[in-house]
Amino acid sequence: MYYVVVDIGCSDCGEASNVVGVFTEEDKARTALEQYKKANKLDLYGDDHQFLIYGVKELNQIHNDSFDHCIYDSHED
């Protein structure tokens, strides 16, 4: 399993989206997300960003049902 960490920016204020990284362990993905948010001071302005972690079993494949693969959504906290 691979864990893809994504930062969804804000189209209204011009904040870009970003693939933070791809990890082989869920704990590493969650740690990387927290480090990324801290390094970019995104906890201060978190309302303009949504953070997602997707669990992906296969590479080189289109995944159409993205929420079926989502294991973390910052808007659900």
Side-chain angles (χ1 to χ4, degrees):
M1 175 86 71
Y2 299 95
Y3 299 90
V4 182
V5 180
V6 180
D7 168 10
I8 306 297
C10 176
S11 61
D12 290 335
C13 62
E15 289 284 336
S17 296
N18 185 31
V19 173
V20 176
V22 180
F23 302 88
T24 56
E25 296 176 27
E26 184 177 343
D27 288 343
K28 289 182 179 182
R30 290 179 183 271
T31 298
L33 176 56
E34 291 308 313
Q35 291 173 348
Y36 172 83
K37 287 167 57 176
K38 184 176 180 180
N40 291 286
K41 297 179 176 56
L42 294 173
D43 281 335
L44 299 174
Y45 310 105
D47 292 340
D48 291 340
H49 290 258
Q50 180 180 6
F51 304 98
L52 304 169
I53 299 176
Y54 291 102
V56 177
K57 293 180 183 176
E58 298 177 68
L59 300 177
N60 301 317
Q61 181 174 333
I62 295 171
H63 299 279
N64 291 315
D65 299 320
S66 62
F67 286 109
D68 288 345
H69 303 288
C70 189
I71 61 169
Y72 171 80
D73 182 342
S74 63
H75 283 176
E76 293 178 357
D77 289 344

